[in-house]
């Protein structure tokens, strides 16, 4: 399909600003002025509407397709949260208004959303305080690790050097720890998918700053030795970090704060179904227990005795500003409305059905694909396409087969510790029919891998494009319409 | 799997060929095969000093990035600029046109820390099991 | 009740039977009694109607009818209706990150167009597919410069947003980087101070145009000095101003970042916003965040993919260029649609309206006795005025009259308690400006 730039016609306009109503026509002094107009497209509003509507139709999305994407919790995004987030009382609110003298009273509704959401997140996780500021899950991780660093610094403990991370962890964990100035130590998993306790004990010493753990893990396993692990880490005054990526599976069944964790982040775009937006924006609120509370970023939202809400910047030991304002408010409103509707019972049901659906698919596919951990799973199950790979059909080939069957592939690039991984997380919002269709297609893929493995190289056949040449993209870098590359010249 | 008989090898799958006091180095056939199509080689700066087994180059493919370690200590006297335009040389001719850097050897004794072709061949066999 | 769970009781029973457990509780056997929550005190669920009523009531507690003359890096611009209409299509907003390019060409091509438009705007060769917001983008740019140069000192102009500067300090205070800030003199960067601090340890000089006080500048001379000592120049820009202002590329910038909220995103009480980052092509592999590239499919047709992924955390883990996993695709899409709609001429027109209205407001404000409009530097749509009394108090009084009168600079700059930062966008009418000026005059009288 043509680029919007290729549809451009000199002089065409997509929007009319109208005439100026002020009797001034100013000019930017020459040294400060732009030399040539920005070469943006020149298209009509209709051109723009058709162009982006057609582009949208080239996407899979939750509204159109099943996404059994492991560790991504692609559940349905209810429409009412969407329309509430678009209320002008929220969207037109300037963030600095709350910081102006007399402006607080005009932002009470927004501050109440932030305050109440914090209370609910505390109730769900067993933590004492939350900051809503982190702008994504990885941003929450970084904030959490900075809180860890602030804790050790406050105690003048300069020996803390390492953060321990299991090999099943998402890549953001080690990256976040490294950016906060820590070295990382990777701990292998045992045969049951849990943490190898002996390896952990061997790695832990006075230099251990903390441990980052995803519970349930990306293997879909709830760590049975969690109490013991917390004891080991706390024994050296380390901080226990809970990566909330998979919180959906345990809502109401356990709380990280009760399990011995000191700090966590929540991915609102997973558990609380704020939309993924084709790769963001997200939101990653961070919760802490009393140990870390005084280091939380500012501002914080407080409730006064008279029931009004206010921003409070007055915390001596705070790590400071981690974001410009109060978080990705538009997404927090959606999470707020979602939690408000579900309530206690609804949230419990969420975990129940997420786990039920995951186990159903696992059970049905176990005869066909190699199961990595043969036990009841939590929110997701991890298979390896190793049997199929022996026939020359890799996990990625099965993924491409599924695309032609109108199913978004499960996660196949991750976890890196499992070769040919296929990670399946159906979420609670999918029906048995949808899952049965998916299971049927997975079985068909296995069958085809025995009968005609060569056929897979052609998939997908029905999409707007076939498999792209990613090597060319990385070698012959063209990331803008205006960038001329060597292949343009030839 | 191709292995040059006259070269020396590291456990990180670098090869080195020493003539007079200049060591030419690159990555082995095994390494280029494991990486897949190389899309970019981040070359070190000439005239800088490196220590043996210090990371000094990285090689990227579409889905992987690999750190490359100096097989021997010394000053980098030349880098293979052709790789900037044509990183696929690492795949096509890893022991020849796909060389990465030339190092002026500081201490010839360090070559005893490296493997011979036969030793590297046995080392590769241990990896396969 | 959770209305989004679709399994019927009969289906649940069948599924449990297939799995081979008696009850749903049986699936949670790994969570032992000692792991059970001490409490789970949440309110009872509500119907959709009840939630809508309650949340709507909350939204109405916020007053969005105060007339905003407040900016500070975040502006009340008009958003054409086509922007939300297109970006609220479920195919866009409920899609996942485009890791499977065959079924995500919509998102990928839109991001490629976004990157292209950002290049058009800033004049820089390459752009990534967006970062969280303007403040965190500036932090990422600083880290990128530190990686490229291998140096540890950063020289920052005092005219860079104080909010951004606070963010940069939070992220680096426990790391061993040296921060130097230069003072702002008559609203502009202090050239002698900059020159004094630039040395061979300097990784980057960080500048902002227009600066926090609204002053516009041409940083060509500073950037040249930075390059002479081998440092990079990072410039944070306000995209709408680029309809009229010299591009950072023309000044010689190496990395350009900024807050893209003004490109069709609502103010939303602070987010989600759009951090953008552009750079010279030679630095693309040191850039953080997702980047979309053009390639061909197996049949030779043009298509788009996430590229240069070897930089990113899911491959590099602790050695990645950044821990960033997400971009803000949907916000980038909003900006892409906005830039396509206003187009080449519209952007200039919009910028001109902002400039004209701000100049008109300046003219009218300067007529008030005791109010001094700072004129030492030219400005775009935001400017500084000196008031005869405490600006915060004046803002409080103006708020009572229905105006968000501006941002009192004393909040971030001690000693500037009588200075007010005033923003005027294309949305402010002459009538609103006149009323604002009249009200201020009455309050100061």
């Amino acid at each position: 399909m043509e680029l919007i730039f290729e549809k451009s016609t000199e002089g065409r306009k997509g929007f009319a600003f109208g005439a100026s109503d002020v009797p001034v026509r100013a000019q930017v002094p020459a040294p400060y002025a732009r030399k040539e107009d920005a070469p943006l497209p020149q298209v009509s509003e209709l051109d723009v509407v058709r162009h982006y509507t057609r582009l949208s139709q080239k996407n899979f999305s939750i509204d159109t397709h099943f996404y059994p994407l492991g560790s991504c919790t692609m559940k349905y995004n209810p429409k009412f949260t969407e329309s509430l987030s678009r209320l002008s009382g929220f969207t037109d609110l300037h963030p600095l208004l709350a910081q102006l003298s007399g402006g607080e009273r005009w932002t009470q509704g927004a501050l109440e959303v932030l305050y109440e959401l914090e209370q609910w997140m505390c109730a769900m996780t067993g933590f004492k305080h939350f900051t809503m500021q982190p702008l994504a899950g990885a941003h929450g991780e970084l904030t959490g690790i900075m809180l860890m660093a602030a804790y050790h610094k406050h105690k003048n403990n300069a020996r803390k050097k390492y953060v321990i991370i299991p090999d099943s962890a998402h890549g953001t964990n080690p990256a976040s720890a490294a950016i906060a100035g820590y070295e990382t130590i990777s701990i292998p998993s045992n045969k049951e998918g849990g943490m190898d306790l002996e390896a952990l004990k061997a790695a832990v010493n006075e230099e251990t700053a903390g441990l980052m753990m995803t519970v349930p893990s990306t293997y879909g396993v709830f760590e049975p030795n969690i109490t013991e692990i917390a004891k080991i880490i706390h024994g050296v005054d380390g901080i226990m970090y809970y990566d909330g990526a998979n919180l959906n599976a345990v809502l109401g069944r356990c709380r990280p704060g009760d399990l011995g964790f000191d700090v966590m982040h929540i991915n609102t775009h997973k558990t609380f179904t704020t939309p993924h937006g084709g790769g963001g924006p997200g939101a990653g609120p961070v919760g802490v227990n009393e140990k870390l509370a005084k280091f939380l970023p500012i501002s914080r939202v407080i409730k006064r005795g008279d029931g009004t809400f206010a921003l409070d910047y007055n915390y001596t030991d705070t790590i400071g500003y981690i974001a410009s304002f109060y978080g990705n408010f538009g997404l927090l409103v959606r999470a707020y409305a979602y939690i408000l509707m579900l309530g206690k019972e609804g949230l419990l049901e969420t975990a129940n059905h997420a786990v039920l659906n995951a186990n159903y698919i696992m059970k049905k596919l176990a005869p066909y694909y190699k199961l990595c951990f043969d036990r009841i799973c939590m929110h997701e199950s991890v298979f390896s396409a190793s049997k199929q790979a022996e026939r020359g059909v890799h996990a990625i080939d099965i993924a491409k087969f599924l695309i032609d069957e109108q199913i978004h592939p499960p996660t196949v690039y991750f976890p890196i510790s499992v070769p040919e991984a296929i990670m399946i997380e159906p979420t609670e919002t999918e029906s048995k029919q949808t899952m049965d269709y998916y299971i049927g297609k997975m079985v068909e893929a296995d069958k085809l891998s025995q009968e005609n493995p060569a056929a897979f190289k052609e998939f997908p056949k029905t999409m707007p494009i076939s498999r792209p040449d990613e090597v060319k993209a990385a070698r012959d870098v063209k990331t803008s319409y205006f960038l001329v590359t060597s292949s343009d010249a030839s | 799997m191709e292995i040059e008989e006259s070269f020396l090898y590291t456990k990180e799958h670098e090869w080195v060929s020493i003539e007079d006091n200049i060591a030419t180095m690159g990555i082995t056939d095994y390494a280029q095969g494991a990486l897949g199509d190389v899309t970019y080689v981040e070359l070190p700066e000439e005239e800088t000093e490196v220590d043996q087994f210090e990371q000094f180059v990285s090689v990227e493919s579409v889905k992987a990035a690999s750190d490359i370690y100096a097989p021997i200590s010394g000053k980098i006297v030349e880098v293979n600029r052709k790789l900037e335009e044509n990183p696929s040389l690492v795949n096509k001719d890893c022991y020849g046109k796909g060389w990465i850097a030339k190092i002026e050897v500081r201490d010839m004794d360090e070559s005893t820390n490296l493997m011979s072709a036969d030793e590297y061949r046995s080392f590769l066999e241990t990896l396969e099991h | 009740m959770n209305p989004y769970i679709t399994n019927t009781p009969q289906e649940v029973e069948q599924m449990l039977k297939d799995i081979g457990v008696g009850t749903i509780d049986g699936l949670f056997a790994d969570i032992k009694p000692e792991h059970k929550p001490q409490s789970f005190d949440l309110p009872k669920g509500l119907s959709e109607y009840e939630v809508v009523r309650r949340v709507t009531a909350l939204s109405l507690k916020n007053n969005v009818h105060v007339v905003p003359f407040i900016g500070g890096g975040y502006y009340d611009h008009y958003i054409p209706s086509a922007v939300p209409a297109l970006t609220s299509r479920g195919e866009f907003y409920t899609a996942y990150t485009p890791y499977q390019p065959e079924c995500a060409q919509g998102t990928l091509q839109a991001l490629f167009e976004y990157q292209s438009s950002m290049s058009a705007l800033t004049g820089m060769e390459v752009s990534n597919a967006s970062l969280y917001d303007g403040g965190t983008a500036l932090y990422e740019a600083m880290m990128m410069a530190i990686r490229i140069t291998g140096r540890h000192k950063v020289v920052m102009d005092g005219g860079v947003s104080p909010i951004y500067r606070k963010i940069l300090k939070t992220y680096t205070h426990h790391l061993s980087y040296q921060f130097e800030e230069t003072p702002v003199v008559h609203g502009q960067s202090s050239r002698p101070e900059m020159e004094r601090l630039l040395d061979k340890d300097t990784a980057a000089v960080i500048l902002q145009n227009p600066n926090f006080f609204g002053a516009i500048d041409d940083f060509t001379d500073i950037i040249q000095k930075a390059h002479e000592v081998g440092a990079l120049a990072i410039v944070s820009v306000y995209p709408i101003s680029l309809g009229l202002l010299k591009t950072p590329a023309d000044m010689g910038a190496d990395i350009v970042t900024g807050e893209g909220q003004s490109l069709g995103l609502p103010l939303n009480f602070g987010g989600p916003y759009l951090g953008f980052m552009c750079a010279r092509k030679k630095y693309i592999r040191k850039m953080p965040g997702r980047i979309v590239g053009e390639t061909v499919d197996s049949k030779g047709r043009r298509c788009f993919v996430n590229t240069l992924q070897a930089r990113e955390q899911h491959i590099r883990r602790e050695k990645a260029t950044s821990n960033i996993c997400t971009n803000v695709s949907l916000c980038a899409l909003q900006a892409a649609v906005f830039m396509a709609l206003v187009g080449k001429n519209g952007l200039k027109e919009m910028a001109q309206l902002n400039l004209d209205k701000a100049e008109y407001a300046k003219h009218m404000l300067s007529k008030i006795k005791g109010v001094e409009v700072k004129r030492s530097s030219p400005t775009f749509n935001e400017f500084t005025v000196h008031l005869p009394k405490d600006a915060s108090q004046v803002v409080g009084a103006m708020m009572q009259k229905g105006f968000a009168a501006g941002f009192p600079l004393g909040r971030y700059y001690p000693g500037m308690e009588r200075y007010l930062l005033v923003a005027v966008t294309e949305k402010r009418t002459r009538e609103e400006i006149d009323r604002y000026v009249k009200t201020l005059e009455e309050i100061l009288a």
Side-chain angles (χ1 to χ4, degrees):
Chain A
M1 192 171 132
E2 278 182 318
L3 294 169
I4 191 83
F5 294 91
E6 292 160 346
K7 294 174 177 168
S8 186
T9 304
E10 187 61 40
R12 186 160 287 155
K13 279 185 169 189
F15 188 77
F17 280 96
S20 173
D21 62 352
V22 294
V24 172
R25 175 78 187 180
Q27 212 176 358
V28 174
Y32 307 115
R34 186 168 186 124
K35 289 187 202 133
E36 278 172 34
D37 293 344
L40 292 171
Q42 301 186 72
V43 286
S44 69
E45 178 170 330
L46 179 58
D47 291 334
V48 172
V49 169
R50 284 200 184 131
H51 180 78
Y52 287 101
T53 301
R54 289 213 179 106
L55 276 187
S56 78
Q57 290 164 341
K58 291 173 187 280
N59 271 0
F60 277 16
S61 66
I62 302 179
D63 277 5
T64 52
H65 293 82
F66 176 38
Y67 270 70
L69 263 177
S71 271
C72 296
T73 317
M74 294 293 283
K75 57 168 103 176
Y76 171 62
N77 306 139
K79 298 298 171 191
F80 81 100
T81 63
E82 206 55 31
S83 52
L84 288 175
S85 76
R86 292 174 204 272
L87 291 170
S88 67
F90 297 132
T91 56
D92 293 353
L93 205 54
H94 197 294
L96 286 172
L97 188 61
Q99 299 181 27
L100 299 185
S101 164
E104 207 174 71
R105 62 181 271 233
W106 298 130
T107 53
Q108 284 297 302
L111 295 175
E112 187 171 339
V113 167
L114 294 172
Y115 182 85
E116 210 167 16
L117 188 56
E118 177 178 349
Q119 305 309 307
W120 294 341
M121 286 190 174
C122 288
M124 282 186 274
T125 60
F127 284 108
K128 287 285 186 287
H129 301 279
F130 261 84
T131 172
M132 296 295 147
Q133 286 183 31
L135 303 173
H139 197 213
E141 286 177 29
L142 183 55
T143 304
I145 299 292
M146 288 195 299
L147 294 171
M148 184 188 288
Y151 172 82
H152 293 309
K153 196 178 176 193
H154 193 76
K155 293 186 100 179
N156 270 324
N157 195 339
R159 295 180 65 194
K160 298 297 186 188
K161 256 199 206 150
Y162 302 104
V163 172
I164 295 177
I165 298 172
D167 62 354
S168 58
H170 193 257
T172 52
N173 284 183
S176 300
I179 281 159
Y182 287 114
E183 291 176 45
T184 58
I185 294 178
S186 178
I187 299 288
S189 303
N190 60 27
K191 280 191 193 105
E192 287 78 43
M195 189 179 275
D196 184 332
L197 272 190
E198 291 313 310
L200 177 69
K201 282 179 194 159
V204 169
N205 56 39
E206 289 300 321
E207 294 185 330
T208 305
L211 170 94
M212 292 180 93
M213 235 180 129
T214 310
V215 183
S217 73
T218 45
Y219 296 148
V221 172
F222 183 86
E223 175 58 57
N225 296 317
I226 188 63
T227 314
E228 175 73 13
I229 291 168
K231 226 178 260 169
I232 293 170
I233 297 299
H234 287 151
V236 294
D237 198 23
I239 294 292
M240 289 283 289
Y241 185 99
Y242 181 97
D243 179 329
N246 301 328
L247 182 69
N248 205 49
V250 293
L251 281 172
R253 291 276 173 180
C254 66
R255 302 190 308 173
D258 299 336
L259 295 175
F261 287 95
D262 303 300
V263 49
M264 77 172 293
H265 81 264
I266 286 175
N267 302 85
T268 63
H269 48 282
K270 294 180 180 178
T271 314
F272 302 117
T273 195
T274 63
H276 275 70
V286 165
V288 292
N289 59 16
E290 281 302 348
K291 207 149 79 173
L292 298 175
K294 62 180 172 181
F295 307 115
L296 280 174
I298 48 174
S299 60
R300 286 166 67 179
V301 183
I302 55 159
K303 189 176 185 174
R304 294 205 190 91
D306 64 359
T308 59
F309 301 91
L311 293 173
D312 191 356
Y313 289 83
N314 200 15
Y315 298 90
T316 322
D317 294 319
T318 175
I319 58 169
Y321 281 41
I322 59 126
S324 303
F325 297 107
Y326 328 110
N328 274 340
F329 183 77
L331 300 172
L332 299 171
V333 169
R334 290 174 174 90
Y336 177 89
Y338 177 72
I339 297 169
L340 194 57
M341 176 190 260
L342 260 52
K344 183 177 177 170
E345 298 303 319
L347 290 165
L348 271 166
E349 278 181 279
T350 296
N352 287 350
H353 288 264
V355 173
L356 174 69
N357 284 356
N359 277 287
Y360 178 68
I361 292 183
M362 181 176 79
K363 190 75 185 181
K364 293 282 184 178
L365 290 183
Y368 307 95
Y369 293 86
K370 187 189 163 228
L371 194 52
C372 291
F373 307 102
D374 190 8
R375 58 187 290 173
I376 296 286
C377 69
M378 299 301 285
H379 60 295
E380 66 188 333
S381 57
V382 185
F383 289 93
S384 167
S386 53
K387 283 191 266 182
Q388 290 74 18
E390 280 168 24
R391 302 167 199 146
V393 177
H394 296 274
I396 189 72
D397 299 319
I398 295 164
K400 303 303 182 191
F401 166 88
L402 290 169
I403 291 175
D404 269 341
E405 302 299 335
Q406 298 293 311
I407 295 167
H408 191 284
T411 301
V412 291
Y413 297 116
F414 187 77
I416 50 174
S417 41
V418 176
E420 301 292 340
I422 299 180
M423 227 160 113
I424 305 167
E425 179 179 11
T427 84
E428 74 279 7
T429 61
E430 296 298 335
S431 68
K432 183 171 176 293
Q433 278 89 338
T434 304
M435 291 189 290
D436 284 339
Y437 175 75
Y438 170 64
I439 291 159
K441 291 300 167 190
M442 286 294 285
V443 173
E444 214 176 294
D446 172 59
K447 201 167 160 225
L448 189 61
S449 77
Q450 300 174 48
E451 290 164 359
N452 185 10
F456 282 84
K457 297 296 164 208
E458 300 290 311
F459 300 137
K461 288 177 170 175
T462 59
M463 290 293 110
I465 63 161
S466 58
R467 290 198 205 187
D469 184 347
E470 299 197 36
V471 175
K472 176 180 160 61
R475 278 184 185 162
D476 194 7
V477 176
K478 176 150 176 136
T479 57
S480 155
Y481 169 67
F482 301 102
L483 204 59
V484 178
T485 65
S486 49
S487 70
D488 289 338
S490 62
Chain B
M1 188 80 51
E2 218 182 296
I3 295 178
E4 280 290 333
E5 292 304 328
S6 60
F7 291 0
L8 297 172
Y9 296 87
T10 71
K11 285 188 176 172
E12 302 287 348
H13 309 287
E14 290 96 11
W15 59 261
V16 61
S17 152
I18 306 177
E19 264 178 62
D20 297 327
N21 67 334
I22 300 295
T24 305
M25 64 79 57
I27 65 169
T28 66
D29 192 27
Y30 175 88
Q32 71 79 19
L35 266 168
D37 293 321
V38 171
T39 55
Y40 180 66
V41 181
E42 186 179 14
L43 294 167
E45 277 192 39
E46 286 171 8
E47 298 297 306
T48 51
E49 294 279 338
V50 285
D51 290 330
Q52 191 176 32
F53 305 135
E54 177 191 334
Q55 190 242 313
F56 80 131
V57 180
S58 71
V59 176
E60 292 177 9
S61 65
V62 170
K63 296 267 188 279
S66 185
D67 291 333
I68 308 299
Y69 301 83
I72 203 151
S73 303
K75 187 166 77 179
I76 298 164
V77 290
E78 197 184 342
V79 296
N80 187 359
R81 297 251 165 251
K82 287 206 173 100
L83 298 181
E84 286 171 353
E85 281 304 301
N86 200 354
S88 64
L89 289 174
V90 174
N91 297 113
K92 288 179 195 149
D93 187 9
C94 66
Y95 296 115
K97 286 179 184 154
W99 67 276
I100 293 172
K102 293 188 183 187
I103 300 168
E104 192 178 84
V105 180
R106 197 190 297 154
D107 177 4
M108 209 54 88
D109 288 350
E110 282 181 356
S111 61
T112 54
N113 300 333
L114 302 170
M115 289 181 275
S116 68
D118 274 344
E119 285 165 336
Y120 182 61
R121 197 173 285 114
S122 321
F123 172 70
L124 286 183
E125 274 165 24
T126 65
L127 295 183
E128 277 152 29
H129 297 297
Chain C
M1 266 302 290
N2 182 338
Y4 308 110
I5 288 167
T6 44
N7 296 323
T8 65
Q10 293 75 24
E11 285 171 328
V12 170
E13 206 177 310
Q14 182 62 50
M15 286 159 69
L16 285 170
K17 216 162 109 191
D18 289 347
I19 296 165
V21 293
T23 61
I24 284 184
D25 281 347
L27 298 170
F28 289 88
D30 278 346
I31 303 180
K32 305 210 183 79
E34 73 257 30
H35 299 140
K36 295 271 190 274
Q38 289 170 17
S39 66
F40 196 67
D41 285 332
L42 284 145
K44 206 170 158 346
L46 299 175
S47 69
E48 180 174 323
Y49 171 66
E50 289 167 311
V51 177
V52 168
R53 195 167 52 182
R54 184 160 154 188
V55 177
T56 305
L58 278 174
S59 81
L60 295 172
K61 281 194 192 174
N62 303 317
N63 188 333
V64 292
H65 303 297
V66 284
V67 184
F69 284 86
I70 184 172
Y74 311 88
Y75 301 93
D76 178 38
H77 289 296
Y78 185 73
I79 301 171
S81 304
V83 177
L86 289 166
T87 56
S88 62
R89 290 184 66 87
E91 297 96 322
F92 279 130
Y93 86 81
T94 74
Y96 187 68
T97 308
Y99 286 137
Q100 298 287 349
E102 296 90 341
C103 56
Q105 281 300 297
T107 294
L108 286 163
Q109 182 172 332
L111 288 175
F112 183 85
E113 291 176 356
Y114 160 81
Q115 291 173 178
S116 305
S117 287
M118 290 316 298
S119 285
L121 209 56
T122 60
M124 303 299 287
E125 290 163 297
V126 297
S127 162
N128 72 8
S130 72
L131 297 163
Y132 308 141
D133 71 357
T136 50
L138 192 62
Y139 156 71
E140 292 288 349
M142 181 188 76
M143 295 304 288
M144 179 173 159
I146 288 171
R147 279 194 304 275
I148 291 169
T149 58
R151 300 176 179 185
H152 65 277
K153 179 175 152 185
V154 174
V155 178
M156 182 144 51
D157 183 7
V160 172
S161 162
I163 299 172
Y164 293 2
R165 282 185 283 135
K166 276 177 180 285
I167 292 172
L168 263 56
K169 280 183 190 157
T170 301
Y171 287 123
T172 51
H173 86 274
H174 55 280
L175 305 174
S176 52
Y177 303 127
Q178 185 190 346
F179 251 110
E180 299 289 350
E181 282 192 29
T182 61
V184 174
V185 181
H186 299 304
Q188 280 204 328
S189 301
S190 164
R191 262 67 180 178
E193 226 2 57
M194 281 276 171
E195 260 185 70
R196 193 180 68 77
L197 289 166
L198 285 170
D199 58 21
K200 62 174 185 15
D201 293 328
T202 310
V205 53
I206 303 182
L207 303 156
Q208 179 177 318
N209 195 43
N211 72 10
F212 193 70
F213 304 97
I216 58 179
D217 206 337
D218 175 8
F219 295 128
T220 309
D221 56 336
I222 297 178
I223 292 173
Q224 202 178 339
K225 290 274 187 293
H227 287 164
E228 280 168 17
V229 295
L232 301 190
I234 300 169
V235 185
S236 175
V237 292
Y238 167 25
I240 301 300
S241 76
L242 290 176
L244 291 175
L245 299 189
K246 186 168 184 174
T247 65
D250 276 345
M251 298 181 195
D254 300 287
I255 308 172
V256 174
T257 68
E259 173 53 65
Q261 174 269 327
S262 58
L263 297 168
L265 277 71
L267 285 160
N268 248 330
F269 202 49
Y273 286 164
L274 167 69
F276 62 84
M277 179 185 274
C278 301
R280 293 176 185 273
K281 191 188 174 200
K282 65 176 172 184
Y283 298 132
I284 194 167
R285 288 172 199 273
K286 300 287 179 191
M287 223 182 188
R290 291 185 190 130
I291 299 173
V292 174
E294 182 183 312
T295 185
V296 293
D297 73 1
S298 60
K299 300 201 169 98
R301 295 172 293 198
R302 176 171 69 185
C303 63
F304 304 93
V305 293
N306 280 323
T307 192
L308 306 181
Q309 294 187 72
R311 300 164 298 120
E312 294 184 62
Q313 47 74 28
H314 62 275
I315 290 174
R316 283 264 162 138
R317 296 174 83 83
E318 71 276 5
K319 286 182 182 157
T321 53
S322 160
N323 75 326
I324 287 187
C325 173
T326 188
N327 57 344
V328 290
S329 277
L330 196 68
C331 302
L333 175 70
Q334 279 167 289
V337 174
F338 178 87
M339 286 188 276
L341 267 177
V342 302
K344 180 179 167 181
N345 296 312
L347 182 79
K348 198 165 59 170
E349 219 178 295
M350 183 180 176
Q352 185 68 47
L353 280 170
N354 277 261
L355 177 70
D356 291 347
K357 294 194 177 199
E359 288 301 318
Y360 175 70
K362 269 177 159 177
H363 174 70
M364 299 304 284
L365 281 167
S366 61
K367 290 183 181 173
I368 303 176
K369 197 169 162 257
V371 173
E372 189 199 343
V373 176
K374 290 295 175 189
R375 292 189 184 276
S376 49
S377 304
T379 59
F380 174 57
N381 71 347
E382 197 163 20
F383 53 90
T384 307
V385 293
H386 184 262
L387 301 175
K389 49 171 123 168
D390 184 273
S392 185
Q393 281 174 19
V394 173
V395 166
M398 289 290 283
M399 195 76 79
Q400 306 266 339
K401 305 278 183 188
F403 291 98
F407 190 73
L409 288 169
R411 174 156 164 63
Y412 288 112
Y413 295 89
M416 293 191 79
E417 282 72 21
R418 293 189 168 192
Y419 288 85
L420 185 68
L421 185 63
V422 180
V424 187
T425 70
E426 78 287 350
K427 275 176 79 179
R428 297 289 72 76
T429 63
R430 181 178 181 177
E431 186 270 330
E432 284 171 335
I433 298 168
D434 289 344
R435 204 149 45 82
Y436 169 78
V437 173
K438 190 162 164 280
T439 311
L440 185 65
E441 193 171 11
E442 284 164 10
I443 279 168
L444 293 175

